[in-house]
Amino acid sequence: MIFAHMKFFSKIKYPILKAIDVSGLTFLSPVVRLCYGEEPRVQMKKISQWILIPICAIILFIFLWAYGSTVVKTKSGSVPGPLETLKAGESISKFGNYEKAKEEAYTLTGPERDEALKKAQARLGKMDPIVKAATDQVGGAKAQYAEVIKKRTSGMTSRRDALKKSYSANQSARKASLAALADTLTPGNETAYENFMKEVKDHTDKTDLEKEELATLAKEIKEIEDEKSDDVAKALFAQTRAAEERQFLQKQIDQLTTQNKGLKIETAQAKIQEDARVLLTLTGPEAVKAAGKIAKARSRLVKTEESVYAGPKTLGYQIKRSILCVFAGFLIGAFIAIPIGILCGLNSTFMAAMTPFIAIFKPVSPIVWLPICLIIASAVVPSPDDSAFMDWLWEDAWILNHYDINPAFIASAITVALCSLWATLANTALGVASIDKDHLNVARVLKLGFWPRLFKIVIPSALPLIFAGLRISLGVGWMVLIAAELLSSSEGIGKFVWDQFNNGASDSFAKLFVVVFVVGIIGLLLDRIMIVFQRLVSFEGSPTAI
Amino acid sequence: MLELKNCSVSFGPPSNRVDVLKDLNLTVEKNEFVAVIGFSGAGKSTLISLLAGLQKPTTGQVLINGKEMNGPGPDRGLMFQNYSLLPWLSVNDNVKLAIKTVFPKMSKSEVSDKIEHYVKMVKLDHAGTKKPHELSGGMRQRASLARTLALDPEVLLLDEPLSALDALTRSELQDQILNIWENDKRTVVMITNDVDEAVLMADRIAPLTMGPGATLADEFKVNMERPRARRTLNDHPEFMRLKTQITLFMMGLNKNSKNDQKTPLIPMPDIRPRDFALPSANIRLKNKNNQPTTAA
């Protein structure tokens, strides 16, 4: 309706719809059609089905999740609900921002550095009262809550104390009567001994019962005392936030002053100049010593100039490295799977030779491949000091720069490749084997040689299925990668999961929930990218994926 | 010159061999237009595969210019029954693939000139950049024709090129093919199942008998002057005579083949269908006078 009368917009209507179709975001097309006023009722029906209903489902899911999280209690506290997860996500992103600011601070120089320093110091000056207020708040909340707990348990504790007293009195009374009974025993009188035994048993049974009752009561009291208060939790959260910010500001100031790269370089240069001036006055062995010192200082200076900020890894970095790793593994897998798949499709003898390997290796779990890859990779991959190539990868490779291509990374990538190549292999073989016979006859009539036939007929015809396979491979690879990183301690999302699992912080459980969504959304995006590629190479009547 | 000498094609294991074609003899002179006519399933496509070299004869020889044929090649341009255009290439690119393969050393501008020439020849110049699936059946067949012609073949083999098209498109394409052939004479073998089409287009018509073990029966010569005018065709005595003669011959073949089939007769049980009609007088009355009955 809105766009229908404008010439420009009516011109781009079909390109937009086609782009939506290619990208697989078909749920958007009724919205576009509605904007052009095309059959509003039909479009509204589609919109309510494909947009409103999913939104309702999501809302319903969030409510169920919020309810469910209050029901299930675990050793690491209650299951995080949507709100906790959101907060954890916020704190992850805050941590990332802090690290980014520190990294920036490390390289700042001149007036920019001064300005940043002034700003950070001003903020830090304000932080102390804030932190103090937050700490007071926590103390207050805790004291208040302790009061509440005390009130709730006071009846129970006094009852417990009274019981304890009366039970111990009972016990000593029973013991005394038993001792008296024991004195009256005449040896040989069986009935008397039997009676005595009964009394003793009665006494122990009663004592056990009393102990049990006291223990139950103590447990109930403990349970109440252990209950966590929302107010305390909130106050603690605010305190942590404030403390974190203060700590960040201190560290940032460090990066701007003592740790600052520019300042370090300046002082080092000044020192070298000074030493050089002194050197000019020296002769003999002293000159040798001073010159050596200067040379050492110079090489240290070069290292400082090349250095980058070394802080803890943020989730953003782990995500980037995981994506890099999954694509590395995916490409390795594709380079193996596509040629072998084509050969399998072209030649049934080769297919017969490969079938046992495919059948046996395909179901092998990443957990099995990973240690093998790790051992081999750490043995085969040289350290950057020994190999120029590794050094180049480590230091200068444009895209890999600062991503630490270590054996663990390579092992993870190869594991991804080994687990993900099968889908591509099978689909490529199928695509090549199921080429339309008429197209092959065309090749025969044209008398195409092997390579032209491969590149002009076979591969274009198999391409839709190859890409369908690649799409499945990338999905599998992404799933495998997280597990591989978790086990190999290769920096990445898997490592983040492992760190959070081992970390006892109050929100690490919630951070795992954040990771679920992060992994899911990235997987979705990867899939979408592959769908676009797949649609671009597809043609009418092309075979579809298996 | 294209020759089939005592060719047979059989399929299946030796114990259960089926002869599809048997003792085929055919000679096609240079620049002659020969139509092979036959029923579906008679083995027409096998015959054209034989001529194209896609199929080797089990016994006998296929000769081209007196030499034994050795596999398919672009000198025998085959136009496939179901177009066989490469679906991922546009019309122009399909033609280009053919030109590039046959003339690998041709310069870029020459190639594009040639593409334009052939695409124009089949009147597809407005749809050159379209993919096959965006075209109608007739347009696809024309694109296929353009690709075949672009090979500049010595022999043009047309495998039922028009049988998948509607009648109007069909006659239009018949005229186009004839036109192209008359302007640029070459040897043509066309497979068809349409007597009219065969008589209209060919110099000679070779009927293929019913399979299995089909062979070529005595040919009919078409003594009609060219160009043949479609409009006056039905008044042309020779056309009508040939058409009747061939049709009768083909129908005779069909009858013979049915007689030849030794399927045992299955006696039908002697039963009469029961009459489920309602004995209602109303319904009978209504239908009696051919009154329009309305649905209840």
Side-chain angles (χ1 to χ4, degrees):
Chain A
M1 251 170 280
I2 311 165
F3 299 148
H5 307 297
M6 284 185 252
K7 206 174 168 192
F8 170 71
F9 284 113
S10 61
K11 221 188 227 171
I12 58 168
K13 174 179 176 184
Y14 286 100
I16 292 176
L17 287 174
K18 193 161 183 214
I20 285 173
D21 182 53
V22 166
S23 58
L25 303 168
T26 37
F27 68 92
L28 285 177
S29 70
V31 179
V32 174
R33 285 178 195 277
L34 186 68
C35 288
Y36 284 100
E38 188 184 313
E39 293 178 293
R41 289 186 58 160
V42 178
Q43 307 311 334
M44 283 312 289
K45 205 177 156 195
K46 279 188 187 162
I47 288 174
S48 58
Q49 189 181 1
W50 293 109
I51 298 178
L52 296 184
I53 298 274
I55 289 174
C56 292
I58 290 170
I59 293 170
L60 185 70
F61 165 76
I62 288 174
F63 275 107
L64 280 176
W65 177 17
Y67 170 72
S69 66
T70 59
V71 174
V72 184
K73 301 264 189 233
T74 71
K75 250 197 269 174
S76 337
S78 64
V79 173
L83 269 180
E84 285 89 351
T85 307
L86 204 63
K87 267 186 193 163
E90 204 189 324
S91 99
I92 288 174
S93 84
K94 205 156 208 174
F95 178 71
N97 289 341
Y98 285 165
E99 283 305 314
K100 210 175 157 196
K102 280 196 249 174
E103 193 179 348
E104 271 171 21
Y106 178 68
T107 51
L108 277 183
T109 51
E112 281 169 358
R113 187 185 69 90
D114 296 339
E115 200 174 309
L117 186 61
K118 215 186 279 171
K119 226 164 115 188
Q121 274 163 340
R123 178 75 186 142
L124 185 62
K126 282 185 209 151
M127 280 319 288
D128 277 337
I130 295 178
V131 173
K132 195 169 176 299
T135 316
D136 289 349
Q137 187 111 35
V138 172
K142 271 190 179 158
Q144 212 174 4
Y145 191 60
E147 204 63 35
V148 173
I149 293 283
K150 209 172 182 189
K151 222 179 256 167
R152 274 175 65 191
T153 56
S154 65
M156 291 164 89
T157 17
S158 53
R159 193 152 64 97
R160 188 188 57 178
D161 293 344
L163 276 178
K164 235 183 196 169
K165 212 177 259 171
S166 76
Y167 285 161
S168 70
N170 288 353
Q171 276 170 29
S172 45
R174 285 200 300 267
K175 267 183 196 159
S177 73
L178 276 179
L181 196 60
D183 285 343
T184 62
L185 284 172
T186 44
N189 186 343
E190 264 184 38
T191 28
Y193 273 96
E194 218 158 88
N195 253 341
F196 177 65
M197 276 300 296
K198 230 185 202 167
E199 287 291 320
V200 172
K201 173 109 181 26
D202 197 37
H203 165 66
T204 46
D205 282 356
K206 269 185 185 158
T207 314
D208 284 349
L209 265 179
E210 285 161 0
K211 263 189 199 159
E212 206 172 294
E213 203 176 331
L214 280 175
T216 329
L217 205 54
K219 204 175 151 197
E220 275 169 23
I221 294 168
K222 181 99 177 54
E223 254 170 33
I224 293 175
E225 280 171 353
D226 281 352
E227 267 178 34
K228 283 195 173 115
S229 141
D230 279 351
D231 289 341
V232 175
K234 260 182 208 159
L236 272 172
F237 184 72
Q239 188 202 21
T240 319
R241 274 285 158 84
E244 274 173 5
E245 193 178 346
R246 187 171 60 174
Q247 199 192 17
F248 154 68
L249 287 167
Q250 285 162 348
K251 288 262 172 74
Q252 194 189 20
I253 289 168
D254 282 352
Q255 294 299 331
L256 287 167
T257 54
T258 51
Q259 303 284 320
N260 189 266
K261 183 174 170 179
L263 281 186
K264 271 193 206 163
I265 291 171
E266 265 173 43
T267 36
Q269 275 170 345
K271 181 89 180 24
I272 288 170
Q273 270 175 13
E274 175 66 30
D275 286 352
R277 227 183 9 248
V278 175
L279 177 67
L280 285 180
T281 64
L282 296 176
T283 50
E286 276 180 335
V288 175
K289 207 173 156 192
K293 223 170 112 188
I294 292 174
K296 259 186 201 159
R298 280 205 177 126
S299 64
R300 261 206 307 278
L301 179 64
V302 171
K303 264 190 194 151
T304 315
E305 275 167 350
E306 281 172 354
S307 69
V308 288
Y309 169 75
K313 306 296 182 221
T314 61
L315 183 60
Y317 170 86
Q318 316 264 42
I319 288 173
K320 278 188 230 158
R321 199 163 188 272
S322 281
I323 291 175
L324 185 72
C325 191
V326 83
F327 273 109
F330 171 72
L331 288 180
I332 296 171
F335 272 112
I336 297 169
I338 293 176
I340 292 182
I342 289 174
L343 285 176
C344 282
L346 285 178
N347 188 325
S348 52
T349 314
F350 187 75
M351 177 74 141
M354 291 306 292
T355 304
F357 300 103
I358 297 174
I360 290 174
F361 292 141
K362 193 168 129 186
V364 175
S365 148
I367 312 293
V368 184
W369 286 125
L370 184 78
I372 298 173
C373 295
L374 259 181
I375 293 169
I376 294 177
S378 45
V380 170
V381 177
S383 86
D385 299 332
D386 301 339
S387 148
F389 176 69
M390 280 310 290
D391 192 47
W392 173 79
L393 266 188
W394 190 285
E395 297 285 346
D396 302 319
W398 162 76
I399 191 169
L400 310 175
N401 211 357
H402 311 315
Y403 280 103
D404 298 358
I405 309 304
N406 51 10
F409 179 92
I410 291 168
S412 307
I414 292 174
T415 306
V416 167
L418 284 175
C419 294
S420 71
L421 62 84
W422 309 108
T424 307
L425 206 161
N427 274 288
T428 308
L430 178 74
V432 171
S434 62
I435 295 179
D436 198 331
K437 221 177 154 236
D438 288 331
H439 296 162
L440 284 179
N441 275 339
V442 171
R444 289 179 67 192
V445 167
L446 291 177
K447 264 201 163 153
L448 292 177
F450 177 77
W451 294 110
R453 189 164 62 109
L454 189 64
F455 285 110
K456 297 226 159 99
I457 311 277
V458 174
I459 291 180
S461 165
L463 218 47
L465 266 179
I466 294 179
F467 269 82
L470 287 175
R471 183 182 151 207
I472 300 171
S473 283
L474 191 58
V476 170
W478 183 242
M479 282 202 280
V480 165
L481 175 74
I482 310 295
E485 281 173 345
L486 193 146
L487 287 172
S488 71
S489 294
S490 167
E491 287 292 346
I493 298 178
K495 176 86 182 315
F496 183 86
V497 169
W498 186 240
D499 289 346
Q500 294 309 320
F501 178 67
N502 286 321
N503 178 349
S506 57
D507 62 347
S508 41
F509 197 7
K511 279 181 183 168
L512 290 178
F513 275 57
V514 176
V515 172
V516 169
F517 291 101
V518 169
V519 170
I521 288 167
I522 294 172
L524 174 76
L525 290 178
L526 294 178
D527 196 49
R528 285 281 155 216
I529 295 171
M530 291 311 289
I531 285 183
V532 173
F533 281 124
Q534 195 186 336
R535 300 250 172 132
L536 287 179
V537 297
S538 290
F539 46 85
E540 189 78 2
S542 58
T544 43
I546 44 169
Chain B
M1 199 171 79
L2 202 57
E3 274 176 289
L4 292 177
K5 274 191 179 165
N6 293 324
C7 280
S8 301
V9 176
S10 3
F11 292 116
S15 59
N16 187 21
R17 224 164 171 69
V18 181
D19 293 330
V20 178
L21 298 174
K22 208 170 177 183
D23 298 334
L24 234 53
N25 282 301
L26 179 70
T27 310
V28 185
E29 296 296 337
K30 195 168 161 57
N31 294 348
E32 196 182 16
F33 197 132
V34 174
V36 174
I37 189 162
F39 288 98
S40 353
K44 293 182 307 236
S45 288
T46 314
L47 172 58
I48 204 99
S49 300
L50 211 57
L51 289 171
L54 290 170
Q55 174 84 49
K56 273 200 171 149
T58 316
T59 59
Q61 279 180 307
V62 187
L63 301 177
I64 180 159
N65 296 332
K67 274 180 270 173
E68 183 126 17
M69 187 184 288
N70 191 14
D75 55 332
R76 279 148 287 140
L78 173 60
M79 186 166 154
F80 295 87
Q81 189 174 357
N82 41 7
Y83 328 131
S84 285
L85 294 165
L86 301 178
W88 55 89
L89 295 180
S90 67
V91 172
N92 284 341
D93 290 342
N94 265 292
V95 178
K96 189 177 173 182
L97 178 67
I99 295 174
K100 280 264 194 182
T101 333
V102 184
F103 310 101
K105 283 176 189 159
M106 200 174 262
S107 73
K108 240 181 190 173
S109 60
E110 271 179 288
V111 170
S112 61
D113 285 351
K114 226 170 170 157
I115 295 171
E116 209 190 309
H117 172 72
Y118 285 110
V119 173
K120 212 167 198 171
M121 189 185 268
V122 296
K123 299 192 172 125
L124 269 182
D125 37 342
H126 60 288
T129 54
K130 287 200 170 141
K131 297 268 170 74
H133 69 89
E134 296 169 298
L135 304 177
S136 68
M139 287 162 94
R140 285 184 213 191
Q141 196 55 281
R142 282 188 298 189
S144 175
L145 179 63
R147 181 177 66 183
T148 314
L149 290 172
L151 297 172
D152 199 14
E154 207 177 304
V155 181
L156 206 55
L157 302 170
L158 310 176
D159 183 9
E160 295 200 50
L162 310 173
S163 51
L165 306 177
D166 63 274
L168 288 174
T169 319
R170 194 170 178 157
S171 51
E172 195 190 323
L173 257 174
Q174 282 167 358
D175 290 347
Q176 261 181 39
I177 294 176
L178 269 182
N179 204 355
I180 291 167
W181 179 73
E182 267 158 26
N183 287 331
D184 181 13
K185 283 251 162 105
R186 60 188 78 213
T187 316
V188 178
V189 179
M190 181 176 76
I191 300 278
T192 181
N193 55 14
D194 182 347
V195 178
D196 285 28
E197 186 174 284
V199 178
L200 171 69
M201 297 175 80
D203 293 329
R204 215 145 41 93
I205 299 169
L208 193 65
T209 62
M210 294 294 284
T215 188
L216 287 170
D218 289 341
E219 4 183 274
F220 297 86
K221 196 134 183 76
V222 186
N223 291 317
M224 283 165 68
E225 67 287 1
R226 289 181 189 273
R228 294 167 187 166
R230 178 184 297 279
R231 257 189 274 165
T232 56
L233 218 51
N234 279 338
D235 302 328
H236 201 294
E238 176 70 6
F239 177 78
M240 292 315 282
R241 186 188 65 80
L242 262 174
K243 187 178 155 184
T244 323
Q245 209 179 348
I246 295 171
T247 311
L248 284 175
F249 178 79
M250 297 305 288
M251 280 164 67
L253 278 181
N254 198 11
K255 213 170 179 180
N256 286 342
S257 142
K258 270 187 189 151
N259 290 342
D260 282 352
Q261 278 172 354
K262 285 168 196 130
T263 36
L265 283 175
I266 300 168
M268 299 300 281
D270 183 24
I271 47 171
R272 304 186 76 185
R274 219 163 133 173
D275 190 6
F276 285 105
L278 290 171
S280 156
N282 251 346
I283 292 172
R284 285 196 186 151
L285 259 180
K286 258 190 173 175
N287 288 340
K288 214 173 193 175
N289 300 334
N290 256 345
Q291 288 167 340
T293 46
T294 45

